[in-house]
Amino acid sequence: MTEDGTTVDGPTTRVRFPGISPRAYEHPADRGALATLRTVPSFATVLKAIAGFWRERSYRLIVLGSAIRVGPNQFPTLDRLRTECAETLDLDTVPNLFVYRDAQVQARTIGIDEPFILLSSGMLEALDTEGQRFVIGHEMGHVLSGHAVYSTMIDVLLSLQPRVAWMPIGSLGLQAILIALYEWYRKAELSCDRAGLLCGQDPAAALRAHIMMAGGTAPSEIDIPSFLQQASEYDSVEDIRDSIHKLRYVTWTTHPLAVVRAAQLQKWAASEEYRAILAGQYLRRDDDAPQENWSDDLKSAAQSYRESWSESNDPLIKILSDVGETVSSAAGRVFSRFGSRSEGSTDGDQQ
């Protein structure tokens, strides 16, 4: 490590981010959803108590007895990546990392009071070292953002579904909440991709990881412009039936589609926001007050959706956007009239 807080790995020098707030890199829609949840009185406290009592202890014991805990003497390269990622994001504690046997390409962060990371053997075998750094950094992002508290809610609500299935209103209400949570989770994954990129600071390595997740087992056989063009084609379908198929498929998924996800991260990697963070211009935790800034987060989330709608060529998105703009404009005119009347009556009272 150098005196200015950078880390050196062979020819690569990486910037560290002392005291970085997760809100510095979180996707606007992720921030907006979290801001809403964080304002609910005692929401996080109650959820922590439930999850910690019923799940975390058993998860920890099962993993300890069935997976390999990464350390200086077990998977030393992964242990170095784990430590470096935690240092890059300035985590207070370095989370434990376990490798478990599974051919599926998976990684997950579990736990609330003491989050730990699970990495499948399939994921480990599919990635090069810098790809592994990206994935571990992604999971560190979940830790720093406190996502485990809120993702646990999905598990809790899913367990409640059979109990309320006989109540049509209760079942529909539960599904509505789950759909909203799934939408948040997909945006949280985009946030943590950004955290992974900050840990590795290598957009090409992140892209290789996303290509692998999409099925690119041999990177030499993948043409990157063609791969990214797929995301544009996916977004610009012209038949509304395709739009409905997309909506039906994505609604109940926790992760963005791999090709679209890759394009999203590469777009952020080319942004001024990313370059500013690398230059040390980012929000610090000491200066962060989510409870005070929650309305700004909600506005940023709304702006993010408006921008994505305006950039999309999807016919269903265009229809929904046009309807939304019409309703918004009508509502604005109504409120303006009421506002004018209110100001007029106030002026009369003052006279």
Side-chain angles (χ1 to χ4, degrees), residues 275-286:
R275 287 192 287 271
I277 294 176
L278 291 181
Q281 302 169 17
Y282 55 84
L283 182 66
R284 267 72 172 176
R285 279 174 291 220
D286 291 343

Side-chain angles (χ1 to χ4, degrees), residues 44-45 47-53 56-57 60 93 95 110-116 143 146 148-149 152:
T45 302
L47 195 55
K48 277 187 178 183
I50 293 173
F53 182 79
E56 187 161 347
R57 188 180 185 89
R60 197 174 298 280
T93 303
I110 295 178
I112 297 174
D113 295 322
E114 296 180 28
F116 57 95
V143 174
V149 176
T152 299

Side-chain angles (χ1 to χ4, degrees), residues 6 47 70 101 107 117 123 133 174 188 196 207 282 329:
T6 59
L47 195 55
V70 172
R101 171 59 64 183
I117 298 169
M123 177 73 83
R133 185 192 301 274
L174 188 58
L207 182 57
Y282 55 84
S329 298

Side-chain angles (χ1 to χ4, degrees), residues 56-74:
E56 187 161 347
R57 188 180 185 89
S58 62
Y59 276 152
R60 197 174 298 280
L61 286 171
I62 291 171
V63 170
L64 188 63
S66 61
I68 299 173
R69 182 168 55 198
V70 172
N73 299 319
Q74 298 191 127

Side-chain angles (χ1 to χ4, degrees), residues 85-95 139-141 143-144 285:
C85 286
E87 290 176 346
T88 298
L89 295 179
D90 199 18
L91 268 65
D92 295 330
T93 303
V94 181
E139 297 305 320
M140 294 284 181
V143 174
L144 186 57
R285 279 174 291 220

Side-chain angles (χ1 to χ4, degrees), residues 230-246 312-318:
Q230 291 180 222
S232 177
E233 292 178 18
Y234 173 86
D235 188 56
S236 60
V237 294
E238 298 180 355
D239 192 321
I240 196 168
R241 291 173 297 180
D242 292 333
S243 304
I244 294 172
H245 288 315
K246 286 161 57 176
S312 175
N313 294 316
D314 189 304
L316 181 58
I317 293 296
K318 288 294 185 185

Side-chain angles (χ1 to χ4, degrees), residues 205-223:
L207 182 57
R208 289 197 302 272
H210 282 144
I211 288 174
M212 180 278 301
M213 294 176 192
T217 55
S220 61
E221 297 185 4
I222 304 300
D223 178 66

Side-chain angles (χ1 to χ4, degrees), residues 181-232:
L181 281 169
Y182 276 124
E183 169 63 10
W184 159 73
Y185 202 99
R186 288 190 293 273
K187 295 301 184 287
E189 287 297 300
L190 297 179
S191 292
C192 292
D193 278 350
R194 296 177 176 187
L197 179 59
L198 289 175
C199 285
Q201 297 162 35
D202 185 351
L207 182 57
R208 289 197 302 272
H210 282 144
I211 288 174
M212 180 278 301
M213 294 176 192
T217 55
S220 61
E221 297 185 4
I222 304 300
D223 178 66
I224 291 176
S226 298
F227 176 78
L228 294 175
Q229 176 63 26
Q230 291 180 222
S232 177

